[in-house]
Amino acid sequence: MADTSTQSIQVHAPLAQVAAVICDFPRYPEWADAMKQVEVLEEYEDGYAAQVRFVIDAGPLADDYTLEYAYAEDLSRIEWHLVEPSKMQRALNGSYDLADNGDGTTTVTYMLEVELSIGMLGMFRRKAEKMIMDTALKELKRRVESLAKA
C-alpha cells in the first residue's frame, strides 16, 4: 500500500527559475547528494524530458529506476511516475506544484507517494519519507537561490 506525503517550502526566486532547475535533470548530481547518475532517456518534442533514469545511493536506500514526467503548460506542475518496479520500489508517484507568490518568491509543494518493495515499519517509512522530502526541498531551494544570486 502506498503512502502519500506532502511538504512545502518557499524559494526566493521566480517560478521560471525554480522550474528550470527541476527540469535540468543531468545536473541533479551537482546538487542532490543522493543522486549518483541521472540520464534523460527520452524527450518530448518541446525538449522537456519524458523519461529519466536515476541511480541513487542514500546509504541503506540504493536504487536504479526510471520515471516518466508530465508538465503543465506553464510549468506550475511537474509530475512523475515510476515506469516499472525497481529493486526498492513497487510504485512511485510525485509532483512539484509551483505557486508564484507575486513577490519574486515561489512556494514549492512536493507530493510523494511511494510503495516500497521491501518491508518497513510504518513509523520508519514515514520518517524516511520526511527525510527524503526535507532533503529534496532544501537542496532544491539551496540550488535555485545560489543560481539566482550568481
Side-chain angles (χ1 to χ4, degrees):
M1 184 172 121
D3 285 331
T4 302
S5 300
T6 304
Q7 198 168 323
S8 297
I9 197 166
Q10 185 172 323
V11 179
H12 295 279
L15 186 148
Q17 289 181 1
V18 176
V21 170
I22 293 170
C23 294
D24 190 2
F25 296 103
R27 294 196 112 129
Y28 276 33
E30 294 175 13
W31 59 269
D33 290 340
M35 301 290 169
K36 300 307 172 198
Q37 183 181 351
V38 181
E39 176 186 10
V40 175
L41 302 176
E42 290 180 27
E43 290 183 345
Y44 293 109
E45 288 180 12
D46 60 9
Y48 286 103
Q51 288 196 0
V52 182
R53 178 177 166 254
F54 294 87
V55 177
I56 64 165
D57 187 353
L61 298 175
D63 207 357
D64 183 336
Y65 58 92
T66 300
L67 300 179
E68 185 162 339
Y69 282 82
Y71 308 84
E73 191 75 29
D74 63 358
L75 296 179
S76 63
R77 182 174 180 84
I78 300 165
E79 59 186 42
W80 60 88
H81 69 270
L82 190 64
V83 172
E84 60 186 40
S86 68
K87 179 177 75 172
M88 299 288 292
Q89 304 168 87
R90 280 194 203 118
L92 172 64
N93 298 297
S95 64
Y96 283 112
D97 285 298
L98 310 178
D100 184 338
N101 296 323
D103 60 0
T105 67
T106 303
T107 298
V108 180
T109 301
Y110 184 23
M111 186 281 297
L112 190 62
E113 180 182 20
V114 181
E115 184 178 349
L116 297 174
S117 300
I118 58 171
M120 188 180 285
L121 289 174
M123 71 178 208
F124 292 118
R125 184 176 53 238
R126 283 187 295 281
K127 186 172 183 166
E129 286 172 1
K130 183 177 178 353
M131 185 186 76
I132 290 165
M133 295 181 83
D134 279 349
T135 302
L137 286 171
K138 287 176 183 168
E139 288 179 337
L140 174 64
K141 177 182 172 74
R142 187 171 32 252
R143 174 67 170 195
V144 172
E145 291 177 354
S146 71
L147 292 175
K149 291 177 185 171

